[in-house]
Amino acid sequence: MGRVYDEFSPGQRFVTPGRTITEADIGDFAGLTGDYNPVHTDAEFAAKTEFKTRISHGPMGIGIAFGLASRLDLIDGTVIALLGVSWDFAAPVRPGDTIRAVIEVTEVRAVKHPDRGLIALAIALENQHGTVVQNGTARLLMRRERIAGTAWGEIS
């Protein structure tokens, strides 16, 4: 079970494990979204671009960043809502790149409902060379308490 609101503080920093992007990931994302832009799906076309190969869809990185955060069990089961995301794309993500997320808590703020609070995160998605390929911020509405009886592995 993820952390609750009171377990976050500004300046906390987390680094996720890496994940290697595959050709299949890119194809699966194209199928899921219907975005078949040839720079993502056509190796011959992509070879003639400045990228020289297929690249992942930009929005795929946002989803992977949150998935990587899930591997740290930061917000699973304790986030109420994703309130907003601001995201920038700095460099392409190619098949074979291994990416990780560096996450920093930038804000922790109480809200009018006493059972929840807001946190803001700065997220940098880095490739295996340490190059930031995408980065942004996310605002999350978090629970102050875990839902009773929901701890992973808990036996009644």
Side-chain angles (χ1 to χ4, degrees):
M1 186 63 50
R3 294 171 183 239
V4 294
Y5 168 79
D6 292 319
E7 294 174 312
F8 289 97
S9 59
Q12 280 179 309
R13 194 175 142 119
F14 307 92
V15 179
T16 71
R19 182 195 190 291
T20 301
I21 303 303
T22 66
E23 293 272 352
D25 293 330
I26 297 169
D28 289 347
F29 192 85
L32 177 68
T33 62
D35 180 351
Y36 292 99
N37 184 312
V39 76
H40 307 304
T41 61
D42 182 333
E44 293 300 313
F45 175 88
K48 296 174 187 165
T49 69
E50 56 273 17
F51 305 114
K52 306 295 183 215
T53 187
R54 291 172 53 193
I55 59 171
S56 74
H57 302 70
M60 189 171 100
I62 298 169
I64 289 175
F66 280 92
L68 289 169
S70 179
R71 293 183 62 192
L72 298 179
D73 201 22
L74 292 178
I75 61 173
D76 289 8
T78 54
V79 64
I80 297 169
L82 174 62
L83 300 176
V85 175
S86 175
W87 208 256
D88 294 313
F89 307 95
V93 176
R94 296 175 168 85
D97 281 351
T98 299
I99 57 177
R100 68 180 187 166
V102 178
I103 303 164
E104 183 174 343
V105 179
T106 58
E107 181 182 6
V108 175
R109 181 168 49 91
V111 296
K112 68 179 180 178
H113 296 285
D115 64 336
R116 55 193 72 180
L118 182 134
I119 66 168
L121 304 174
I123 305 168
L125 205 55
E126 299 178 345
N127 68 15
Q128 68 274 14
H129 306 295
T131 301
V132 174
V133 294
Q134 297 183 12
N135 64 309
T137 59
R139 291 179 305 114
L140 305 166
L141 189 61
M142 300 296 300
R143 297 185 192 288
R144 283 192 180 253
E145 295 182 14
R146 289 172 182 80
I147 296 173
T150 59
W152 306 124
E154 182 177 311
I155 298 174
S156 310

